[in-house]
Amino acid sequence: MTTTTTAPTTTVLAASGVTMRFGGLTAVRDVDLTVNSGEIVGLIGPNGAGKTTFFNCLTGLYVPTEGRVAYKGTVLPPKPHLVTQAGIARTFQNIRLFANMTVLENVLVGRHTRTKEGLWSALLRLPGFKKAEEESRARAMELLEFTGLAAKADHLARNLPYGEQRKLEIARALASEPGLLLLDEPTAGMNPQETRAAEELIFAIRDKGIAVLVIEHDIRFIMNLCDRVAVLVQGEKIVEGPAEVVQADERVIAAYLGTPFEGAPGDAEAAEVEAAEADAQSTEEGDDK
Amino acid sequence: MTTEIPMDKTSGTTEVPAAQATPIIPLPQAAARALTVAGSALALAGTFLAWTWTEEFPGNLTVTGYPGGLQVLTLFGSLLTLLFALTGYGIRGLGWLTPGGKNSPVLLAALGVFGTTGYAIGAIAQELGGLVNLEPGAWVSGIGALLAVIGALGLPVDQPYDAADPTPHLWGRIRHSLTAPDPGRAKDLPSWAEILIIAAGFGTGLYVFSYGIGTEYSEQFIGFLIVAAFGFTAVNRAGLLKRLSALTAKHRNVTLGAAFAAAICFPFTQSNDQFALIGANILIFATVALGLNVVVGLAGLLDLGYVAFLGVGAYAAALVSGSPASTLGVHFPFWAAVLTGAAASLIFGVVIGAPTLRLRGDYLAIVTLGFGEIFRITMNNLNGNSGPDVTNGSNGIPQIPDLEVFGFNLGVPHDVLGHELTRSANYYLLMLVFTAIVVTVFRRSAESRIGRAWVAIREDETAATAMGINGFRLKLLAFALGASLAGLAGTVQAHVSYSVTPEQYQFAGSVPPNSAFLLAAVILGGMGTISGPLIGAALLYLIPAKLQFMAEYQLLLFGIALMLLMRFRPEGLVADRRKQLEFHETGQLDLPEDKPLPDGATGVAKAGA
Ligand SMILES: Nc1ncnc2c1ncn2[C@@H]1O[C@H](COP(=O)(O)OP(=O)(O)OP(=O)(O)O)[C@@H](O)[C@H]1O
Ligand SMILES: [Mg+2]
């Protein structure tokens, strides 16, 4: 296991010994992973490897059977809203927007933990209320601007094209002012241009000082983007290191791609298509949460 | 990879050239229009003649030259038909009547006239024993109405057939001929004119509503329902409602003001205490329904035992009302009683909510249903035999004294502006204050961080918690707020009805409000809107109250009506934009132009935007 950290930076996320069992199935087995500030870390692996399950363990959606997850030094309680409060935001593999709310409202919901106005303040329209609402709106509009959705602020989320829905999920996650952003297959279903735009967006997010942990099947995307890549196979982390190293690793090639793919870019796509098809059948319920 | 393939939401409407629609009855257009005008004029003239010879049929239809009872309804209907039909001639000054559909409103109005006149003829023949009891006037109106319908069926259809189904069958064609395109954007008027139009709209609404409440026998009420339903649809197809709601969306505060002004005027239009009582009861029902709307419409929690909170408030108020039957024997001033009632409901809500709100969906519904019944049974059992004597068991707490607010005894009539306000009218006005409070609470909470969190939980609880929302806490908050709003209404209800008994607070019963009717009012009216539950409650109260003769079938008919509604208009009578898009996959990108958060008064506007 190769762990390469380039510069001495603070550790944002430290997961150690995370194990998740569903009955007899061990979906995640004893995984350690750290993410440092200013880093973009990739998490790859074949379908059903346990990537999404690992995310769910990090964000408190699942209570890991064993192991612990610490954010900036404090161990996180396994409650999703407390994890978000602490500073980890996420997107979902199968988009989970508030479909019947507008784009702006979706982002405003993301700001929930960073605003304090309670029911009384809303009912009595206490002095701070209006100001807080306006600030929230301004902040949300900024994020929509940032993700390029400002023109659609008043559309219902369900009416956005697919690529924009993914962007909106990112905007919504950013609204909670996270220190770490977890992206679960952010480019799934995107065309090449959109994927490129997503890359730019993720770099821009990193430049804002937010560390990113991203699951993705698109190898080229991962290669361009990530400082470090971890590979999960059947719940176990088999390799971790710089993208080029991981890409060349035989175990990865064997486990993840099945065939060597250097010099044959078409292969990567073919493997991806295969993976997608297999996924559609195998993980119907698996990635629901 | 995702397993959910997004539906083709963005493709826009298919651009196949649409098939031109043909009228149901092939007539030359000019002849059809002339026939419609002549028919409705004839129907109108007929209402000035006698329809029957005896005053035995209610409403006195024997006078020539002075329409009464059901004749008035035919008169109104045919006037409306005539107006819509005449706009088809392009008469100057009438064009504003039909910014949307041109001919479908004529057909609908004509059908309304035909329906009510036909019903009147049938009712006379049935009650007096045969068609011989009809006088010529009835035939004149009836034949006139029939001719108007035939003429209207010959008018050109407002929009081409659906590209998906270019050759519909007869039934499809009939349904199609009742549809109309949406009106375009209205040109801007000076704001005083717009406000005047809003006022006129609410004035008309008030008139129609108080006419409905004031109907004195069930024949008249049925006739009213027929004319009102067809007239309403006709006005809607003509595009007038959308124009009006565009205006109300623009002047929201004016609209709320106008709505309350109209509501305040209501008791002044009634001299009969009985009708004012109906008004007061409708307000109680509507207010509780609106409280339930916080729980169901915003937070998406299906509460099947909501009426228990009304009961808690009512019982609490009754116990501290100074009623000689109260076991507490204290007499709180009004404000303290209100606070007691609301606080009792709040506590009850938290006690029930804390364990149950950890459940999701169906489980919550079942548990709340159970708790609702437990409340009723407990009130029954706290009678001194099965438990401590607190509530007098099934006898309830009778003889609740009238309220005194600011030294103003609500139990006795008062003269205000030369009009005598009866006891019920007093309570109606008091209740209106509570309705205003609940409307404000609903509106303000919906348009806040908390309201957004509720909607987010309703939409997707997992995603909401991942956004940092404490699902349990917020659901409990919605539950508790809803409970205390119902408790507020309960405190007034106890005084209006003189007594509280356990049987008033059932899951389903013949007299609203009960849990089933409350939920129905919210769903029928339109979840998540303000005006929806108010309208739903008014309808659900009035229809059983006015049609006493079918009390036995009430629940059956109620069930059938609910099924039909869910089949044809699942978003409810008043749809907010979300629901509209949710249930009717329009396939087009909506182009919003208003504020993002919906509320009742503006719901239709957005649906039409
Ligand atoms: N709630 C659950 N209950 C039981 N099994 C589960 C649950 N969630 C996931 N699994 C199983 O755990 C394994 C890992 O699934 P997971 O969704 O984490 O894979 P993944 O790496 O995200 O795959 P993909 O690339 O297809 O998204 C699968 O075999 C899945 O069926
Ligand atoms: Mg996954």
Side-chain angles (χ1 to χ4, degrees), chain B residues 33-56:
Chain B
R33 199 172 299 283
L35 189 63
T36 318
V37 170
S40 42
L42 200 62
L44 192 136
T47 62
F48 287 90
L49 303 174
W51 281 16
T52 179
W53 58 274
T54 163
E55 284 181 36
E56 254 170 66

Side-chain angles (χ1 to χ4, degrees), chain B residues 197-207 244 248 254-256 258-259 262:
Chain B
I197 293 172
I198 293 176
F202 277 97
T204 317
L206 171 68
Y207 180 79
L244 181 65
T248 56
V254 174
T255 305
L256 273 179

Side-chain angles (χ1 to χ4, degrees), chain A residues 22 25 27 47-53 62 93 185 217 279 283 286-287:
Chain A
F22 300 110
L25 173 80
N47 293 123
K51 305 178 294 295
T52 299
T53 307
Y62 291 161
Q93 179 175 358
E185 302 196 15
H217 283 290
D279 172 64
T283 52
D287 54 17

Side-chain angles (χ1 to χ4, degrees), chain B residues 186 230 254 273 324 359-360 382 386 390 407 432 437 447 468 484 522 531:
Chain B
F230 279 99
V254 174
D273 184 62
L359 306 172
R360 283 195 190 187
L382 293 178
S386 334
V390 184
L432 196 59
I437 292 173
E447 292 174 17
S484 23
V522 171
S531 52

Side-chain angles (χ1 to χ4, degrees), chain B residues 74 109-121 145 149 222-223 226-227 230:
Chain B
T74 300
L111 283 173
V113 180
F114 185 66
T116 188
T117 314
Y119 168 74
I121 290 175
V149 170
I222 292 177
I226 297 174
V227 172
F230 279 99

Side-chain angles (χ1 to χ4, degrees), chain B residues 82-243:
Chain B
L82 206 54
L83 269 179
F84 279 135
L86 286 176
T87 39
Y89 284 114
I91 296 174
R92 279 180 65 86
L94 286 182
W96 63 272
L97 275 171
T98 52
K102 303 272 180 262
N103 294 324
S104 51
V106 181
L107 179 56
L108 279 160
L111 283 173
V113 180
F114 185 66
T116 188
T117 314
Y119 168 74
I121 290 175
I124 292 172
Q126 207 232 333
E127 280 170 43
L128 301 180
L131 290 173
V132 291
N133 296 296
L134 293 170
E135 293 280 320
W139 293 117
V140 172
S141 284
I143 291 169
L146 183 63
L147 292 179
V149 170
I150 293 173
L153 282 172
L155 290 173
V157 179
D158 278 332
Q159 53 186 1
Y161 290 133
D162 224 354
D165 182 16
T167 49
H169 286 292
L170 184 63
W171 173 236
R173 284 173 60 196
I174 292 175
R175 277 186 57 181
H176 178 80
S177 66
L178 297 177
T179 60
D182 282 344
R185 285 192 66 102
K187 59 176 188 293
D188 283 329
L189 294 170
S191 43
W192 61 263
E194 295 187 337
I195 289 170
L196 220 60
I197 293 172
I198 293 176
F202 277 97
T204 317
L206 171 68
Y207 180 79
V208 173
F209 183 67
S210 31
Y211 184 92
I213 287 193
T215 50
E216 280 160 10
Y217 40 97
S218 40
E219 288 86 353
Q220 192 187 7
F221 184 72
I222 292 177
F224 165 78
L225 275 188
I226 297 174
V227 172
F230 279 99
F232 182 81
T233 321
V235 169
N236 188 16
R237 288 288 182 271
L240 290 177
L241 283 187
K242 287 196 173 131
R243 280 282 162 86

Side-chain angles (χ1 to χ4, degrees), chain B residues 203-474:
Chain B
T204 317
L206 171 68
Y207 180 79
V208 173
F209 183 67
S210 31
Y211 184 92
I213 287 193
T215 50
E216 280 160 10
Y217 40 97
S218 40
E219 288 86 353
Q220 192 187 7
F221 184 72
I222 292 177
F224 165 78
L225 275 188
I226 297 174
V227 172
F230 279 99
F232 182 81
T233 321
V235 169
N236 188 16
R237 288 288 182 271
L240 290 177
L241 283 187
K242 287 196 173 131
R243 280 282 162 86
L244 181 65
S245 42
L247 291 183
T248 56
K250 207 160 136 191
H251 307 274
R252 287 172 67 192
N253 290 328
V254 174
T255 305
L256 273 179
F260 277 104
I264 289 173
C265 288
F266 168 75
F268 293 94
T269 66
Q270 305 291 326
S271 47
N272 189 331
D273 184 62
Q274 188 202 338
F275 298 146
L277 180 62
I278 293 182
N281 280 328
I282 287 179
L283 274 189
I284 293 172
F285 185 17
T287 307
V288 183
L290 202 53
L292 178 61
N293 203 14
V294 173
V295 181
V296 177
L298 292 182
L301 305 168
L302 187 52
D303 184 348
L304 294 181
Y306 191 65
V307 82
F309 300 121
L310 179 73
V312 172
Y315 263 99
L319 284 172
V320 300
S321 67
S323 153
S326 155
T327 47
L328 291 189
V330 290
H331 188 170
F332 281 15
F334 174 60
W335 62 266
V338 168
L339 288 184
T340 312
S345 283
L346 176 76
I347 293 168
F348 191 65
V350 172
V351 167
I352 289 182
T356 52
L357 287 172
R358 297 182 192 274
L359 306 172
R360 283 195 190 187
D362 306 350
Y363 299 108
L364 180 70
I366 300 292
V367 173
T368 50
L369 176 68
F371 268 110
E373 288 299 287
I374 287 173
F375 166 75
R376 184 173 61 83
I377 294 166
T378 309
M379 292 303 108
N380 248 325
N381 286 345
L382 293 178
N383 58 3
N385 291 332
S386 334
D389 187 9
V390 184
T391 63
N392 299 330
S394 56
N395 293 331
I397 302 172
Q399 298 172 46
I400 299 173
D402 276 307
L403 282 173
E404 212 166 291
V405 184
F406 302 126
F408 196 77
N409 187 344
L410 295 182
V412 294
H414 293 273
D415 259 332
V416 177
L417 303 175
H419 185 92
E420 185 183 67
L421 289 179
T422 59
R423 172 182 187 272
S424 300
N426 294 333
Y427 278 112
Y428 171 91
L429 289 174
L430 176 68
M431 200 52 224
L432 196 59
V433 175
F434 281 83
T435 310
I437 292 173
V438 175
V439 166
T440 313
V441 166
F442 184 91
R443 223 182 113 186
R444 291 192 166 177
S445 58
E447 292 174 17
S448 73
R449 167 176 172 266
I450 303 293
R452 283 191 297 267
W454 284 336
V455 177
I457 290 174
R458 187 192 75 197
E459 291 283 308
D460 184 337
E461 191 168 345
T462 304
T465 54
M467 288 305 117
I469 292 169
N470 185 339
F472 173 69
R473 244 191 84 198
L474 273 141

